[in-house]
Amino acid sequence: MSMYLQPSTREELISALGQLTDKSRIIAGGTDLMPDLRKKRPDVDIFLSLSAMEEMKEIRISDDTICIGAMATHDSIARNAEIKTWATALHHACSHVGSQQIRNRGTIGGSLANASPAGDMIPCVCLLGGTLLLLGADGAFRRIPAEDFTLGVSRTALHPGEVLFAIELPVRKDRSTAFVKLGSRKEVTIAQISIAISWDKGTRYQNPDGYLGAVDVTPVHLEEMPELIGQGPVDDAAKDRLAESLRDRIRGIRMNRKRPPKLKITEAERLYKERAVRSVVYDVFDLAETID
C-alpha cells in the first residue's frame, strides 16, 4: 500500500523529501499525474502532495524580480496584473493552457517538472531568463537556469530528493514579450508548435530574441532572429525569412539525430510542423503589434 504525505510547512516538506525513493511520485496539481497513473498503474510507494504548501502558491514581485511559487496555478498567474505587464509571454501562455478547469488546478511547477516537449511554460520561462529554485532533502536550495532544466522527454535536472520550489524571473522593464501556440483546435489544445519572442520595449523590433516550442525535446533558441528580421519594422518578407529558417531548423532537428528520437513525430506531423511555422510566426507578430 502506498504512503501519502501532505506537508504544509517547509520543514515538513524537507522531512518528506528525505523519505522519497525512486518509486515515489510528487503531486502538484495532478492534471498530468492522475491520467498517467490510470493509464500505466505504476508501483508507487509514496505520494507526496504539495497541495497544502501555501508558501509555494505565492507570487511575490519586487522592483527587480518576479518570484512565482511552483504551486501557483496557471489561472493565478494569468490573472496577475504585474506578470501581464512585465512577463507578458508567460501571461499569454498561462491564459491558454487547457480548459478553465485545468488552469484552476494545474500549476507552473507541475508543468515544468512534467517536461513535456509540448509544454507551454518552458519556452516562456527560458525567454524571460528564468532561474529555477530546487529544494533538497538537506534543506538547501540549488539554483539552475531554466535553459538547463529540461533534459529530454519527462526528464529534468532534478536530483533524487529534490522538488521544484519556485521560479524567479528578472523584471525587464526594457523588454516586451509575446507567446502564441498552434494546436489542433482553438481552445483546450496541446501545442503542435509554439513560439515566444522578445524585443526592446517601444521599438518594432530591436534586439529580437525567441524560443520555438514543441518541435524538439527541449525549446529551440532562435539565435538567428536578429539577422533574419533586422532591427526595424518587420514586413512580410522578414517574417517569411524567419519562417523559412525555422522550417530548416525543424528538418535539421530530425535529420541530425544519430539515434531514434524519444520525441516520436510521424512524417505527417513533421510536415505539418514545417508548414505551420509560418502561421505561428505571423500570429506572434500580429499579437506583438498589440503590445506596448
Side-chain angles (χ1 to χ4, degrees):
M1 181 177 294
S2 301
M3 182 187 302
Y4 182 82
L5 303 177
Q6 189 181 42
S8 60
T9 67
R10 191 184 302 186
E11 291 72 22
E12 291 175 355
L13 175 58
I14 291 168
S15 175
L17 291 173
Q19 301 178 54
L20 300 185
T21 72
D22 57 2
K23 292 184 178 181
S24 304
R25 299 293 294 270
I26 296 176
I27 307 173
T31 57
D32 288 306
L33 176 61
M34 299 314 294
D36 186 54
L37 291 177
R38 285 196 295 268
K39 180 172 62 176
K40 298 180 181 178
R41 298 187 180 278
D43 180 21
V44 179
D45 60 352
I46 298 174
F47 287 103
L48 170 55
S49 171
L50 303 176
S51 60
M53 287 295 301
E54 295 300 321
E55 181 184 4
M56 294 177 67
K57 300 175 185 178
E58 296 176 357
I59 300 174
R60 301 186 301 276
I61 301 177
S62 65
D63 288 340
D64 58 1
T65 304
I66 300 170
C67 184
I68 305 173
M71 285 295 291
T73 64
H74 300 306
D75 184 69
S76 67
I77 296 169
R79 291 176 180 273
N80 187 287
E82 290 172 293
I83 288 178
K84 183 177 181 180
T85 299
W86 306 123
T88 311
L90 186 61
H91 162 78
H92 291 156
C94 288
S95 297
H96 295 92
V97 171
S99 64
Q100 184 61 55
Q101 292 93 329
I102 293 294
R103 292 192 289 275
N104 289 343
R105 183 73 183 177
T107 66
I108 186 172
S111 178
L112 292 170
N114 190 47
S116 167
D120 298 338
M121 300 300 109
I122 190 63
C124 296
V125 176
C126 287
L127 178 79
L128 293 163
T131 299
L132 307 189
L133 275 64
L134 314 180
L135 177 64
D138 59 357
F141 281 104
R142 184 165 66 95
R143 304 167 69 89
I144 184 170
E147 284 189 317
D148 298 335
F149 183 68
T150 303
L151 304 180
V153 179
S154 301
R155 293 195 304 116
T156 71
L158 282 166
H159 293 166
E162 279 188 332
V163 66
L164 174 55
F165 192 84
I167 300 93
E168 288 185 345
L169 306 173
V171 174
R172 292 290 306 274
K173 297 183 179 181
D174 59 336
R175 298 287 285 176
S176 296
T177 64
F179 169 87
V180 299
K181 67 177 178 180
L182 183 65
S184 58
R185 52 186 180 267
K186 186 174 181 180
E187 299 292 340
V188 197
T189 191
I190 296 174
Q192 298 291 335
I193 187 170
S194 64
I195 186 170
I197 66 169
S198 66
W199 64 95
D200 286 349
K201 192 174 184 66
T203 70
R204 291 288 190 266
Y205 293 86
Q206 292 185 15
N207 298 313
D209 194 12
Y211 281 83
L212 197 63
V215 299
D216 201 0
V217 294
T218 59
V220 177
H221 190 197
L222 308 180
E223 304 98 331
E224 67 270 37
M225 278 190 69
E227 178 182 352
L228 291 170
I229 70 172
Q231 296 290 331
V234 176
D235 57 17
D236 287 354
K239 296 174 189 175
D240 287 340
R241 286 195 300 272
L242 178 59
E244 182 58 36
S245 175
L246 299 188
R247 280 194 289 266
D248 290 342
R249 291 283 292 273
I250 293 171
R251 294 187 193 110
I253 287 167
R254 306 300 298 173
M255 294 175 64
N256 292 335
R257 286 180 173 147
K258 297 179 180 179
R259 58 184 178 182
K262 292 185 177 180
L263 176 58
K264 297 178 180 178
I265 299 178
T266 66
E267 183 65 12
E269 288 172 319
R270 181 186 66 81
L271 291 173
Y272 170 83
K273 289 176 185 286
E274 289 181 11
R275 294 170 183 172
V277 72
R278 185 176 186 272
S279 294
V280 295
V281 167
Y282 272 73
D283 286 349
V284 79
F285 280 105
D286 285 346
L287 179 59
E289 289 295 323
T290 69
I291 300 170
D292 287 344

